[in-house]
């Protein structure tokens, strides 16, 4: 079983409009809702790839109930979310169907009490006993200690469970020092962490901070990976147009599934880039266009960097 942790779950709402213009009213042509937050998006992709997945984190309120109801209809995903008093947040993506650009609005999330955080930690350590790998994903809701991911990484390491970290800011800075197996920042997160906007130098700096492997997402330029086995740059055949929401989460699913399946690093990166590009073509976060994915697998370029 692969475990994904999403402290700040969300109900992802995607609106599609023909042309997004400030200061005007818009007629929405299509609306979709999905259980969201980075780790839930990762879980859906992992399940679609045939892996058994358990999700945990926090959920509460009317939005949380809607999220769990929809999650129950997701094949292959087991719900181990922790109920809280506060209301689960919503994230809203407005997609301009003419340009393919998306505008994202993210609510902060519920206030987590010390008792709720303690209950989560106890449940997490139990779940680790049957986990083959764990992904720690996304922002921390109010009330959760900023060093929370560092503690969760140490618990995973103590249980001999490989762990991937995908977050930003101070939680990333503290988490990477706990020595996760893989860290997957995007270019902006990597620059904020290291102070360098040059990806090659920044990945080296980030890895020295404690991670076993750094896989940096460079947007349409693909992934740059620095690992104990070598350095690679994986690129898609062309820039994809569509909704990029969830593309990074699909890359995480590709990396994590490749880790569990013990694939060589170039194969993991090929899968991650193909999934990410196929997600841009899908209508909602946490999904990917399977036909596009199958075609892209043969067209992703992976070169030594």
């Amino acid at each position: 079983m692969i475990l994904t942790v999403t402290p700040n779950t969300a109900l992802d709402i995607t609106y599609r409009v023909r042309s997004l213009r400030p200061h005007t009213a818009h007629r929405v042509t299509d609306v979709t809702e999905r259980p969201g937050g980075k780790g839930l998006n990762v879980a859906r992709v992992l399940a679609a790839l045939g892996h058994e997945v358990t999700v945990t984190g926090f959920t509460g309120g009317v939005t949380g109930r809607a999220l769990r109801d929809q999650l129950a209809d997701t094949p292959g995903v087991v719900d181990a979310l922790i109920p809280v008093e506060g209301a689960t947040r919503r994230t809203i993506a407005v997609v301009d169907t003419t340009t393919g650009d998306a505008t994202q609005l993210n609510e902060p999330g519920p206030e987590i009490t010390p008792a709720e955080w303690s209950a989560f930690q106890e449940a997490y350590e139990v779940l680790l006993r049957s986990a083959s790998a764990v992904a720690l994903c996304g922002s921390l809701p109010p009330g959760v200690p900023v060093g929370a991911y560092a503690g969760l990484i140490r618990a995973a390491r103590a249980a001999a469970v490989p762990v991937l970290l995908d977050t930003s800011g101070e939680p990333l800075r503290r988490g990477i020092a706990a020595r996760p197996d893989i860290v997957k920042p995007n270019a902006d997160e990597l620059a904020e962490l290291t102070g360098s906007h040059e990806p090659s130098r920044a990945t080296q700096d980030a890895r020295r901070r404690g991670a076993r492997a750094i896989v940096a997402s460079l947007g349409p330029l693909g992934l740059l990976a620095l690992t104990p086995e070598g350095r690679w740059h994986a690129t898609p055949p062309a820039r994809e147009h569509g909704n990029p929401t969830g593309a990074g989460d699909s890359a995480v699913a590709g990396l994590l599934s490749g880790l569990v399946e013990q694939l060589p690093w170039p194969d993991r990166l090929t899968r991650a880039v193909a999934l990410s590009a196929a997600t841009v073509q899908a209508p909602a976060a946490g999904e990917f266009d399977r036909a596009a994915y199958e075609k892209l697998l043969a067209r992703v370029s992976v070169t030594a960097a």
Side-chain angles (χ1 to χ4, degrees):
M1 175 269 286
I2 298 175
L3 177 64
T4 73
V5 177
T6 313
N8 212 3
T9 59
L11 187 65
D12 286 340
I13 303 169
T14 302
Y15 294 125
R16 294 181 177 274
V17 298
R18 288 191 175 87
S19 179
L20 180 62
R21 300 185 305 276
H23 316 301
T24 62
H26 295 79
R27 186 176 297 277
V28 176
T29 59
D30 182 65
V31 182
T32 57
E33 287 189 1
R34 295 289 187 277
K38 296 178 74 65
L40 270 66
N41 293 336
V42 172
R44 265 199 306 276
V45 175
L46 285 169
L49 292 172
H51 289 274
E52 295 181 2
V53 193
T54 296
V55 297
T56 191
F58 300 106
T59 184
V62 173
T63 308
R65 287 195 294 275
L67 183 154
R68 299 188 85 163
D69 287 345
Q70 294 189 32
L71 192 62
D73 295 328
T74 306
V77 176
V78 175
D79 177 355
L81 295 166
I82 305 299
V84 296
E85 287 297 322
T88 296
R89 66 189 179 129
R90 297 162 298 177
T91 65
I92 299 173
V94 183
V95 178
D96 184 319
T97 58
T98 301
T99 65
D101 292 336
T103 299
Q104 190 84 12
L105 303 173
N106 296 333
E107 296 179 355
E111 181 80 27
I112 304 301
T113 67
E116 290 166 344
W117 174 239
S118 179
F120 168 80
Q121 289 177 291
E122 292 177 8
Y124 173 74
E125 294 195 5
V126 172
L127 289 167
L128 283 176
R129 297 172 190 168
S130 54
S132 57
V134 58
L136 306 175
C137 302
S139 62
L140 299 174
V144 173
V146 71
Y149 280 141
L152 299 181
I153 291 167
R154 286 191 289 268
R157 288 176 58 83
V161 178
V163 56
L164 182 152
L165 177 64
D166 182 15
T167 188
S168 60
E170 191 62 21
L172 171 59
R173 190 178 306 277
R174 298 197 187 192
I176 199 171
R179 304 184 64 80
D181 294 270
I182 304 173
V183 174
K184 195 216 73 65
N186 63 32
D188 290 340
E189 292 161 353
L190 187 63
E192 182 184 6
L193 174 69
T194 66
S196 174
H197 290 273
E198 200 288 303
S200 179
R201 180 180 303 169
T203 52
Q204 289 178 337
D205 185 349
R207 187 161 179 252
R208 283 196 293 267
R209 293 169 185 255
R212 180 173 172 80
I214 297 288
V215 181
S217 175
L218 306 180
L221 299 180
L223 298 174
L224 180 63
L226 178 59
T227 80
E229 288 77 30
R231 177 193 294 270
W232 292 275
H233 186 194
T235 55
R239 180 166 185 164
E240 302 295 336
H241 296 282
N243 180 6
T245 306
D249 304 330
S250 291
V252 168
L255 295 171
L256 206 58
S257 62
L259 183 156
V260 170
E261 295 171 30
Q262 300 182 328
L263 297 181
W265 267 104
D267 292 346
R268 300 186 202 183
L269 297 169
T270 296
R271 179 181 291 181
V273 169
L275 283 169
S276 180
T279 297
V280 174
Q281 299 183 29
E287 297 180 353
F288 64 95
D289 186 309
R290 186 169 287 277
Y293 167 63
E294 297 292 345
K295 292 178 181 178
L296 285 161
L297 277 173
R299 300 174 61 201
V300 173
S301 171
V302 180
T303 57

